[in-house]
């Protein structure tokens, strides 16, 4: 069904998203004529243009209606001008999750990495292992890898993809190997409560091919186990099928022995920060072995893995000497993990700059958000990055600021990126760490810092 003859040109609406960008590049490599649009200009558009993809910001309904296939994200509204024009012209239009499943069918096997947190890093680690062992695969990652360890070879044996729970996208996949890193309530615009979300993860487990393998964090494994599917657990305990022992911390990074079936199969020395990445690494190693890779070689590949952009990514120093890190954290658990990572690294002042992502998430988890900054010395709240949503009463960034303010004095509400940058340049301490947290445009704070100091050298 899916070939260059029947659908020679594909247009992606919302191509600025990293996941859509990855799909666009995959199709380009398979010989399709690829184009894409996004509501606003962004670096991803420039990156695609450099590869030969026709991209533009805004809408061109006439152009979209002349394509043979249009792919759009769940965030695109039904009245989007390009989508409406394509449908009116009887162009085949597919939501991203359906298109992802179609692509998965082009491969011998699918390996899908699910979980509320850590999907991008764990998927990238798994791709690094596959590349290191010369396996035939294509990786679909919701982020940009720092190094080239994750680059696929364009083969057709394995499709290694993130399995996102938003809008139940992951239920379109039929994986041979499936990973569930963790389950925590999120996406209140899609799920009523945690029980409904867990039900979706159960269906994801149901969709594993018979004779396939489920890799799950030990506390989740029993509820997700299915007949006809092998189950492998991972965790900090040596009682797991893949456990971490002899954990050491040195110079900001963790190392540990990987124990499987009671034997040490290798040692990982991570080049990515944060204790939570031990679990991501164990899950990737377990999945890799289920896919026919050697576990000891997998440890070696992950030890060389340099991470994904915006996952505790070092950006530079403020004039006073404070280190600035950027992290995609937009859920309370992720924020707490990022701050914990910084706390282990320094005795200095930690300033957390947070841009809330969607009003529904902020409203539903406002109590958890108000607690997750506990180890930060100072918190700065920026206006909400609305993404696909309209404001909700009780779910604004200012509502969150007021909630936090009642519990601690060191909290500020900052109106825009420029004001946040000016404050940091004036007040950040020399031995401290500044965290730019959020899934939206919070990195623009760093852009503003660089602009402020453009007349002089940045440290």
């Amino acid at each position: 069904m899916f070939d260059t003859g029947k659908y020679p040109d594909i247009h992606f609406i919302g191509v600025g998203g990293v996941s859509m960008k990855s799909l666009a590049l995959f199709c380009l490599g398979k010989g399709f004529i690829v184009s894409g649009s996004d509501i606003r200009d962004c670096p991803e558009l420039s990156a695609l243009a450099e590869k030969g993809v026709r991209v533009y910001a805004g809408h061109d309904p006439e152009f979209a209606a002349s394509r043979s296939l249009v792919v759009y994200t769940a965030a695109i509204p039904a009245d989007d001008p390009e989508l409406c024009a394509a449908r009116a012209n009887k162009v085949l239009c597919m939501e991203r999750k359906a298109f992802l499943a179609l692509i998965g069918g082009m491969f011998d096997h699918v390996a899908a990495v699910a979980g509320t947190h850590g999907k991008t890093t764990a998927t990238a680690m798994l791709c690094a292992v596959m590349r290191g062992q010369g396996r035939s695969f294509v990786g679909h990652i919701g982020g940009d890898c720092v190094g080239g360890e994750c680059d696929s070879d364009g083969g057709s044996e394995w499709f290694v993809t993130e399995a996102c729970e938003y809008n139940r996208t992951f239920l379109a996949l039929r994986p041979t190997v499936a990973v569930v890193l963790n389950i925590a309530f999120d996406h209140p615009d899609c799920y009523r409560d945690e029980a409904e979300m867990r039900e979706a993860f159960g269906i994801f487990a149901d969709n594993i091919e018979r004779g396939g393998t489920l890799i799950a964090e030990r506390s989740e494994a029993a509820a997700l186990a299915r007949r006809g599917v092998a189950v492998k657990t991972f965790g900090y305990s040596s009682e797991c099928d893949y456990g971490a022992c002899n954990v050491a911390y040195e110079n900001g990074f963790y190392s540990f022995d990987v124990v499987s079936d009671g034997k040490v199969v290798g040692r990982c020395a991570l080049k990515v920060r944060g204790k939570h990445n031990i679990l991501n690494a164990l899950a990737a190693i377990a999945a890799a072995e289920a896919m026919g890779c050697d576990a000891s070689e997998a440890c070696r590949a992950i030890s060389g893995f340099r991470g994904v952009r915006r996952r505790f990514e070092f950006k530079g120093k403020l004039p006073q000497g404070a280190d600035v890190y950027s992290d995609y954290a937009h859920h309370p658990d992720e924020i707490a993990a990022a701050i914990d990572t910084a706390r282990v690294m320094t005795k200095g002042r930690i300033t957390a700059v947070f841009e809330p992502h969607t009003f529904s998430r902020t409203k539903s988890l406002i109590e958890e958000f108000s607690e997750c900054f506990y180890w930060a010395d100072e918190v700065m709240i920026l206006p909400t990055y609305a993404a696909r949503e309209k404001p909700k009463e009780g779910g604004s960034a200012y509502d969150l600021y007021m909630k936090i303010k009642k519990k601690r004095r060191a909290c500020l509400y900052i109106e825009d990126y420029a004001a946040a940058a000016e404050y940091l340049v004036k007040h950040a301490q020399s031995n401290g760490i500044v965290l730019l947290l959020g899934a939206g445009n919070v990195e623009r704070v760093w852009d503003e810092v660089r602009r402020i100091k453009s007349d002089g050298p940045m440290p």
Side-chain angles (χ1 to χ4, degrees), residues 294-309:
D294 179 78
S296 61
E297 290 296 325
C299 292
R300 186 173 294 110
I302 288 176
S303 295
F305 173 71
R306 289 175 285 175
V308 180
R309 283 204 66 245

Side-chain angles (χ1 to χ4, degrees), residues 262-316:
K263 299 178 181 179
V264 175
V265 297
R267 187 165 183 84
C268 285
L270 298 179
K271 289 183 172 64
V272 288
R273 297 182 185 274
K275 190 175 182 180
H276 55 282
N277 280 314
I278 295 176
L279 296 180
N280 290 333
L282 290 171
I285 293 166
E289 192 162 43
M291 295 160 69
C293 294
D294 179 78
S296 61
E297 290 296 325
C299 292
R300 186 173 294 110
I302 288 176
S303 295
F305 173 71
R306 289 175 285 175
V308 180
R309 283 204 66 245
R310 295 229 53 221
R311 272 62 176 183
F312 217 90
E313 180 188 10
F314 179 67
K315 302 301 295 183

